[in-house]
Amino acid sequence: MELTGPLRRVLLGPDRRQPPARTRRWARIRLYGVPVALLALVGLALVNATYLLDNRDLNRFVAGALALWAVLPVVVAVRRPLLAWRLAYPLLFLGILGATPDEPWPWSPVQIFGFLFVLAALVRHEESAVIALVTALTIVPVVAYAPRDNMWSVVMLLVAMGLAGDLVSRRRRSRAELTRQAELTELEQARRAVLEERARIAREMHDVVAHHMSMIAVQAETAPYRITDLTAPARAEFGTIAAGAREALGDMRRLLGVLRAETDESLRTPQPGLSDVAALVETAQRAGVEVTLAEDDVAEVPEAVGLAAYRIVQEALANAARHAPGGPVRVSVRGTADALWVEVGNDPGAAALAAADGPGHGLVGMRERSALLGGTLEAGPAPDGGYRVAARLPLTEV
């Protein structure tokens, strides 16, 4: 067996801290039991000091130091038993100072029981190699200083404690591993359930939405060939419809890729950003929406902020085209030192962006995008009439 690693851990390695119990019962026990236990330890330290002064030729300072040293590891062993053993072990050599042949043991009774408590706490939680080394090192001073009549019985007691502790420790580790495996299995099952649900949603969207969008694009593209005597503006309008349907299909394919992906690879595909807002406005203009765009002091922004701004403008323009056809719309994108301001509004008298407050999810989605970045979104009637949506998107991470 390779002992270098366990020996290094016994002497210098980190301790396995024992987490405090979280149950209400243990909280009540700690509330009343900790003060009582500390008071008992103080009493044991006084008893130990009295024993040393009565039975050994020691001054008060040395007797007090040895008495306090004997009980200190007991306090530490509750949370850090390996460190407690390191504190208690030297006392097996120093605790025999002034011992006389009249004493049955070269160590005081308080020190003996305190060390056994520390050893019991250690062997319940450590690995087998550490328990074996600790037991072997503990036997050394016993063989060196214990009376021959009782030495072997003590050695057998230490070995039995080590074996019993190792058995308890193995069972605890086995239960912990089984619990961990069960948690991993539950997480994997939950992950598979999420993936199956996402795949189902993707199938529904593909079968319903994508199919209809494809039909719109095909009909718009073939209309100039099927319908004779179309005017030039009508042909241009059909072309705009076909282009918009194709663009929507592209967005749909990216969304379906995200839903069907088992990893985040699909999330790494390029996403629209602030630089694409102008193209979005041009597309709306070709679709017949009277849109004006004003961009002031807009510098480079984080990718997440640019994507959120693009989606907010996209949803607001869609609401304007749906609920106030023909009404002029103003889009303003303005940058400051710490935020990006996006505002979309329509002129007084056009009813319209207010429909975002209706049964749909447009305004909810815009607010969620702003909130995820630590920003805000306001929607409501403008001071001069009409309706506006204004978002503030911080440029720094929340």
Side-chain angles (χ1 to χ4, degrees):
M1 180 187 296
E2 180 62 42
L3 295 179
T4 304
L7 182 60
R8 186 183 300 112
R9 171 165 168 72
V10 169
L11 299 178
L12 302 172
D15 206 320
R16 293 182 178 178
R17 301 191 180 197
Q18 304 306 317
R22 300 292 183 184
T23 62
R24 182 178 302 178
R25 178 181 178 183
W26 278 108
R28 186 178 302 155
I29 291 176
R30 287 198 302 271
L31 179 62
Y32 299 103
V34 170
V36 173
L38 292 177
L39 185 63
L41 290 175
V42 172
L44 288 175
L46 294 176
V47 170
N48 195 22
T50 303
Y51 174 87
L52 294 176
L53 290 174
D54 292 343
N55 294 276
R56 301 182 185 182
D57 187 16
L58 298 174
N59 60 50
R60 293 183 179 274
F61 176 78
V62 175
L66 293 178
L68 184 62
W69 194 347
V71 299
L72 180 61
V74 176
V75 179
V76 179
V78 176
R79 296 291 300 277
R80 304 185 63 177
L82 186 56
L83 176 61
W85 181 86
R86 294 183 190 135
L87 293 174
Y89 185 70
L91 196 61
L92 293 180
F93 299 91
L94 299 177
I96 65 171
L97 291 176
T100 62
D102 297 334
E103 296 182 60
W105 294 95
W107 305 284
S108 67
V110 172
Q111 180 185 349
I112 293 174
F113 287 109
F115 187 86
L116 290 177
F117 176 85
V118 170
L119 188 62
L122 184 147
V123 298
R124 291 179 63 248
H125 299 284
E126 287 295 339
E127 59 187 18
S128 302
V130 172
I131 294 175
L133 283 174
V134 166
T135 303
L137 291 174
T138 303
I139 289 175
V140 172
V142 172
V143 173
Y145 301 117
R148 291 291 178 261
D149 296 338
N150 299 325
M151 180 186 68
W152 293 111
S153 60
V154 176
V155 170
M156 293 178 62
L157 173 63
L158 294 176
V159 172
M161 289 182 62
L163 293 176
D166 182 52
L167 179 61
V168 172
S169 179
R170 286 175 181 271
R171 293 186 60 182
R172 175 177 282 108
R173 290 197 299 270
S174 177
R175 287 196 300 268
E177 181 64 22
L178 290 175
T179 302
R180 189 178 72 86
Q181 291 296 332
E183 291 175 352
L184 291 176
T185 301
E186 291 179 0
L187 289 175
E188 182 62 23
Q189 290 175 349
R191 176 176 172 272
R192 297 308 306 177
V194 170
L195 292 176
E196 290 174 1
E197 181 63 17
R198 285 167 54 178
R200 186 190 66 80
I201 295 173
R203 286 194 302 269
E204 294 293 330
M205 294 181 66
H206 179 271
D207 294 342
V208 179
V209 182
H211 170 72
H212 290 299
M213 292 301 299
S214 299
M215 293 301 298
I216 292 172
V218 170
Q219 289 177 349
E221 288 177 345
T222 60
Y225 303 99
R226 294 182 289 103
I227 304 174
T228 60
D229 301 329
L230 284 178
T231 63
R235 290 177 180 272
E237 186 69 21
F238 277 119
T240 301
I241 294 173
R246 292 298 180 190
E247 183 178 353
L249 278 174
D251 291 339
M252 179 68 67
R253 291 190 185 98
R254 284 193 292 269
L255 178 59
L256 294 179
V258 172
L259 290 174
R260 286 174 171 151
E262 295 193 8
T263 64
D264 62 348
E265 292 294 331
S266 59
L267 300 178
R268 300 175 186 172
T269 58
Q271 296 289 320
L274 191 61
S275 60
D276 299 306
V277 171
L280 182 64
V281 170
E282 292 177 2
T283 301
Q285 290 172 343
R286 290 195 301 269
V289 182
E290 186 179 342
V291 188
T292 58
L293 173 63
E295 292 184 284
D296 299 327
D297 300 327
V298 178
E300 195 71 22
V301 300
E303 182 179 350
V305 174
L307 175 60
Y310 179 90
R311 295 302 186 194
I312 290 172
V313 173
Q314 184 183 44
E315 182 63 32
L317 289 177
N319 285 335
R322 184 182 307 115
H323 301 291
V329 181
R330 302 181 308 275
V331 178
S332 172
V333 180
R334 179 169 53 89
T336 60
D338 60 346
L340 180 70
W341 296 81
V342 179
E343 183 174 342
V344 183
N346 58 354
D347 288 341
L353 291 175
D357 277 325
H361 301 282
L363 189 57
V364 175
M366 287 189 278
R367 284 200 174 109
E368 288 178 348
R369 288 185 181 277
S370 301
L372 285 175
L373 298 174
T376 58
L377 185 136
E378 298 178 357
D384 57 349
Y387 199 86
R388 75 182 184 102
V389 173
R392 179 187 178 275
L393 307 175
L395 298 180
T396 57
E397 294 184 1
V398 295

